[in-house]
Amino acid sequence: MTSPDLGAASTPSTPSRPRVVLGVSGGIAAYKACELLRRFTESGHDVTVVPTAAALEFVGAPTWAALSGKPVSTDVWSDVHEVPHVRLGQSADLVVVAPATADLLAKAAHGLADDLLTNTLLTARCPVVLAPAMHTEMWEHPATVANVATLRARGVLVIEPAEGRLTGADTGKGRLPEPAEIFAVATDLLARADAGAAVLDLTGRHVVVSAGGTREYLDPVRFLGNRSSGRQGYALARTAAARGAEVTLVAANVTLPDPAGVKVVRVETTEQMQAEVMAACQSADAVVMAAAPADFRPTSFADTKIKKTDDGSAPAIELEQTPDILAGLARDRPHPGLVVVGFAAETGDDSGTVMDHARAKLARKGCDLLVVNDVSGGQVFGADDNEAVVLGADGSTTHVARGSKGALAHVIWDRVTPLLPER
């Protein structure tokens, strides 16, 4: 048999039908891969499912064949004349394995190839995404930790598992992220690879993102807040994870699903956000403050609900300023190399335009980059798209046309990466 040219690039596919290999290994979460497969096929991807023999104990071959519209095999002996053990990997635009068990991670890290899936992983020259799922003890075992580090060093995107209910009564880290979130990360990675962009340029970096709007309570049921949905912050976290970063997302009062591979820390108030962001930034390379912390809070909190009065009068509520998290971070950086990015939701007024206020805020806050949103009339909040101007402390200006919040997130990370200190 003639050896394939392992250095050759995979044959490009037509933009409308990217070729995806969906590997499924033998864990209870294999059933969730059915939804992932559906998302790929319904969005126009040409998907070949390659389950391991153990995976077929959980979901049978007829299910995979019906959902993908293709025959399914697990060994290298079927259709030998087509050399499937090398052709699948060579022709793929993307390989995703979900779930990836501890056994699969070990085989991939050590180059073992005893079935069709592990052979495919060895021959793939396209982006590879592994979504582990296993019990916490297995994920935290030194062997698994070493295997994951090896795979990441080779350019494989290994998504951090989620925390939650496992099999039986067990809970902890090791749960397969939701299929929709795996799909979002995988397709993001594929799109960047197709565009020729740097794919995993944040590998080995730890970034912190804040999202949502904080609440400052008046009494047990009322609070001061704002309209921030957290969508832009979640897009920043998701895209950073797709670029290989370790991501800590500090989320205030957000109801969105957790992005795959992201550690989510939930808070309510500005003080809580400040504490969690500062703690996470001790080991971070960059922090992006996309949240909308409340600017003011009541000076006192009523232990019981404030009642209406018979005469119709309203209580007088005295306010004080909350901590300025962004200015504090920029001024008192936990370490000199931390890149600090702020957001400015601005409206123009008699004293100046949106950009006038934004440039003044950049100088006042002392951050490295400031992402400026014009929120006149409530624009941006809760929407799926966004447009912005990214101002740099060096005087640079980057205009970002209206598009998805994910697209804006990538522009922000593109501006951040040159500022990161060398490792």
Side-chain angles (χ1 to χ4, degrees):
M1 180 185 300
T2 302
S3 297
D5 180 2
L6 298 184
S10 60
T11 303
S13 64
T14 60
S16 59
R17 294 286 286 172
R19 290 184 290 266
V20 176
V21 173
L22 175 58
V24 186
S25 59
I28 186 63
Y31 76 93
K32 291 186 177 181
C34 294
E35 181 184 344
L36 183 57
L37 171 57
R38 180 183 61 79
R39 289 181 178 273
F40 274 119
T41 56
E42 289 185 356
S43 58
H45 295 78
D46 179 1
V47 187
T48 300
V49 182
V50 183
T52 64
L56 294 179
E57 297 291 328
F58 294 96
V59 180
T63 298
W64 300 121
L67 292 175
S68 68
K70 289 185 174 184
V72 173
S73 61
T74 64
D75 59 64
V76 298
W77 308 111
S78 302
D79 300 318
V80 174
H81 64 289
E82 295 180 357
V83 202
H85 70 291
V86 294
R87 292 289 179 255
L88 277 174
Q90 284 180 328
S91 62
D93 297 300
L94 176 71
V95 176
V96 182
V97 182
T101 60
D103 180 67
L104 187 282
L105 294 175
K107 289 178 178 178
H110 292 278
L112 301 181
D114 60 355
D115 61 10
L116 188 55
L117 178 55
T118 48
N119 273 269
T120 299
L121 289 172
L122 273 183
T123 56
R125 293 299 180 267
C126 60
V128 175
V129 180
L130 304 180
M134 63 198 73
H135 271 71
T136 306
E137 294 83 357
M138 300 173 74
W139 174 251
E140 295 177 346
H141 192 282
T144 304
V145 172
N147 291 333
V148 169
T150 296
L151 291 165
R152 286 174 172 163
R154 293 177 186 158
V156 175
L157 178 57
V158 183
I159 300 174
E160 287 286 314
E163 295 187 22
R165 182 71 177 268
L166 305 174
T167 54
D170 293 341
T171 60
K173 189 169 185 177
R175 181 181 176 89
L176 186 73
E178 291 304 310
E181 292 299 321
I182 298 174
F183 175 77
V185 168
T187 51
D188 189 299
L189 183 64
L190 178 58
R192 285 179 59 78
D194 285 346
V199 177
L200 297 177
D201 55 351
L202 291 177
T203 298
R205 302 291 191 176
H206 176 205
V207 302
V208 178
V209 178
S210 69
T214 61
R215 296 174 178 177
E216 304 299 333
Y217 283 86
L218 300 167
D219 62 23
V221 297
R222 300 185 182 93
F223 58 83
L224 297 177
N226 56 65
R227 296 174 59 189
S228 177
S229 67
R231 291 181 184 275
Q232 186 62 69
Y234 272 55
L236 281 156
R238 184 179 294 110
T239 52
R243 293 170 75 149
E246 174 192 351
V247 185
T248 301
L249 175 61
V250 182
N253 309 296
V254 179
T255 58
L256 301 171
D258 292 352
V262 172
K263 177 183 179 181
V264 181
V265 179
R266 304 192 186 282
V267 298
E268 284 193 276
T269 68
T270 302
E271 276 198 348
Q272 292 170 353
M273 175 169 282
Q274 181 185 45
E276 294 295 346
V277 167
M278 290 298 293
C281 282
Q282 300 301 312
S283 62
D285 296 289
V287 55
V288 182
M289 291 296 300
D295 294 323
F296 303 98
R297 64 187 175 195
T299 56
S300 61
F301 172 78
D303 292 329
T304 59
K305 180 182 176 182
I306 300 172
K307 304 295 193 297
K308 289 183 179 180
T309 59
D310 292 337
D311 62 7
S313 62
I317 298 173
E318 185 178 353
L319 302 178
E320 62 183 3
Q321 287 193 17
T322 56
D324 191 327
I325 305 174
L326 177 60
L329 270 173
R331 182 185 64 247
D332 303 319
R333 304 187 189 214
H335 54 86
L338 180 68
V339 178
V340 179
V341 183
F343 267 67
E346 292 290 349
T347 59
D349 56 28
D350 293 340
S351 64
T353 65
V354 167
M355 295 310 299
D356 290 334
H357 292 307
R359 290 189 178 93
K361 185 171 186 177
L362 174 63
R364 186 172 66 252
K365 300 290 187 180
C367 50
D368 301 295
L369 297 170
L370 187 70
V371 183
V372 185
N373 290 133
D374 183 345
V375 295
S376 303
Q379 301 181 75
V380 175
F381 292 117
D384 292 328
D385 56 2
N386 201 351
E387 63 181 314
V389 177
V390 184
L391 300 179
D394 59 359
S396 60
T397 302
T398 302
H399 294 269
V400 185
R402 181 164 295 279
S404 71
K405 291 187 173 180
L408 173 58
H410 277 303
V411 173
I412 294 169
W413 293 124
D414 288 343
R415 289 294 311 271
V416 167
T417 49
L419 303 178
L420 295 172
E422 294 184 4
R423 290 173 291 183

